[in-house]
């Protein structure tokens, strides 16, 4: 399962990372709060929506400079796209603007719950990989879809915990655990639906490699403190997974023996 030391690093597309928390850059009450929260999270990867931030414009350029000043790797995303064609075009634009082959692929199939379109996501992933992109696909927890994305050349998968922005945590732990068991060597990151630090702990205890979140931190009463809480939660969940949790039982079992005399009650005379 890996090292239980403090330096439990991992690699995404050749990039060595120490933090297993990825964080978004939207919805914060101010740019300063965003920067402070990202620093408090310890995240080394920050996502940015090209359509929403418009880095080519004056205001967008200032925002981009703020992100660069944080010293984190940027993961542009294709948020707002509803077709593979849109996503591929936006990814190409982001590569020109940001100078990175990394792309978080989002192709939305339903505007009500923002569920990713499995067919459009797979189609876009296949095209982007041929164009030399390192694709981080946001997808559902469907095993067959995830296998197809892996076979297409994706080196990491980002299944949702729950719909974006709901904060409902892991809606289908069974499906997520199945993905972890069937794709044992694939880096898996729970993306979307995480609302509380306890949700992050649960995902990490399932053996997931990382957590990507935004709303849970950005819209907290104290985003900086919440970012710090999630930093600790991801680390605790990871250590709990590596340590190996005790099995669940149907019946109680005493933690002290019922036979014999406890050593501290023995006659010392």
């Amino acid at each position: 399962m890996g090292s239980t030391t403090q330096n439990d690093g991992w690699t995404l597309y050749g990039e060595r990372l120490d933090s297993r928390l990825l964080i978004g850059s939207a919805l914060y009450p101010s740019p300063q709060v965003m920067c402070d929260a990202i620093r408090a999270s310890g995240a080394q990867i920050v996502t940015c929506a090209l359509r929403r931030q418009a880095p080519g414009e004056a205001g967008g350029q200032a925002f981009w400079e703020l992100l660069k000043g944080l010293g984190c790797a940027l993961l542009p995303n294709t948020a707002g796209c509803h077709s593979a064609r849109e996503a591929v075009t936006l990814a190409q634009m982001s590569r020109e603007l940001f100078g990175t082959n990394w792309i978080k692929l989002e192709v939305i199939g339903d505007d009500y719950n923002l569920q990713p379109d499995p067919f459009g996501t797979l189609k876009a992933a296949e095209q982007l990989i041929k164009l030399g992109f390192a694709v981080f696909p946001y997808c559902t927890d469907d095993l067959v879809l995830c296998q197809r994305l892996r076979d297409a050349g994706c080196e990491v998968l980002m299944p949702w915990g729950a719909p974006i922005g709901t904060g409902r945590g892991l809606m289908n732990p069974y499906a997520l655990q199945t993905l972890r068991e069937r794709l044992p060597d694939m880096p898996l990151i729970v993306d979307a639906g995480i609302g509380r630090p306890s949700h992050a702990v649960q995902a990490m205890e399932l053996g997931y490699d990382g957590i990507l979140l935004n709303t849970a931190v950005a819209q907290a009463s104290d985003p900086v403190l919440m970012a710090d809480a999630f930093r600790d939660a991801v680390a605790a969940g990871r250590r709990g997974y590596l340590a190996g949790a005790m099995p669940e039982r149907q019946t109680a079992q005493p933690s002290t023996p019922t036979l014999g005399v406890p050593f501290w009650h023995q006659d010392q005379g």
Side-chain angles (χ1 to χ4, degrees):
M1 289 189 295
S3 172
T4 58
T5 65
Q6 293 291 330
N7 188 23
D8 177 37
W10 59 319
T11 302
L12 293 176
Y13 285 107
E15 185 76 16
R16 173 74 178 181
L17 302 166
D18 294 318
S19 173
R20 292 176 178 270
L21 178 60
L22 293 72
I23 196 165
S25 57
L27 304 175
Y28 292 90
S30 72
Q32 186 60 55
V33 171
M34 177 197 72
C35 291
D36 291 344
I38 290 173
R39 291 191 185 98
S41 74
Q44 295 170 287
I45 297 177
V46 178
T47 63
C48 175
L50 182 65
R51 276 188 166 177
R52 294 170 184 160
Q53 303 299 347
E57 300 175 6
Q61 184 60 35
F63 181 83
W64 169 224
E65 292 298 329
L66 272 179
L67 291 182
K68 285 200 296 184
L70 293 170
C72 298
L74 189 68
L75 179 59
N77 68 43
T78 62
C81 291
H82 289 77
S83 70
R85 181 177 179 179
E86 279 185 289
V88 171
T89 299
L90 196 61
Q92 291 174 310
M93 291 173 59
S94 77
R95 181 158 63 181
E96 291 295 321
L97 286 168
F98 297 123
T100 178
N101 288 326
W102 282 19
I103 193 74
K104 178 188 172 186
L105 174 61
E106 293 185 32
V107 181
I108 299 302
D110 182 83
D111 285 328
Y112 178 75
N113 69 354
L114 300 180
Q115 178 170 325
D117 176 353
F119 309 103
T121 299
L122 179 58
K123 181 178 179 181
E126 291 171 338
Q127 294 178 26
L128 289 170
I129 288 166
K130 289 179 181 178
L131 291 170
F133 283 89
V135 180
F136 294 68
Y138 164 59
C139 58
T140 61
D141 51 22
D142 182 89
L143 173 62
V144 175
L145 170 62
C146 288
Q147 290 173 325
R148 295 286 190 274
L149 288 166
R150 175 202 59 190
D151 295 344
C154 294
E155 296 183 16
V156 58
L157 300 174
M158 302 203 301
W160 69 353
I164 293 173
T166 61
R168 297 180 65 87
L170 307 188
M171 297 288 288
N172 194 343
Y174 170 78
L176 291 173
Q177 187 170 12
T178 299
L179 287 180
R180 179 70 287 169
E181 292 171 353
R182 296 292 300 276
L183 302 170
D185 301 320
M186 170 75 69
L188 298 177
I189 299 169
V190 171
D191 176 17
I194 299 294
R196 304 182 183 209
S198 57
H199 299 157
V201 171
Q202 183 184 10
M204 296 302 291
E205 286 179 340
L206 288 177
Y208 273 69
D209 299 281
I211 303 292
L212 195 162
L213 53 81
N214 186 173
T215 310
V217 168
Q219 296 194 335
S221 298
D222 186 335
V224 178
L225 184 58
M226 186 62 79
D228 185 65
F230 270 107
R231 177 179 187 166
D232 290 343
V234 169
R238 176 64 179 174
R239 289 197 296 270
Y241 169 69
L242 292 174
M246 63 170 284
E248 294 184 4
R249 302 185 178 97
Q250 293 296 323
T251 58
Q253 179 173 320
S255 57
T256 56
T258 57
L259 298 177
V261 179
F263 73 91
W264 58 85
H265 285 170
Q266 292 177 359
D267 184 3
Q268 300 299 316

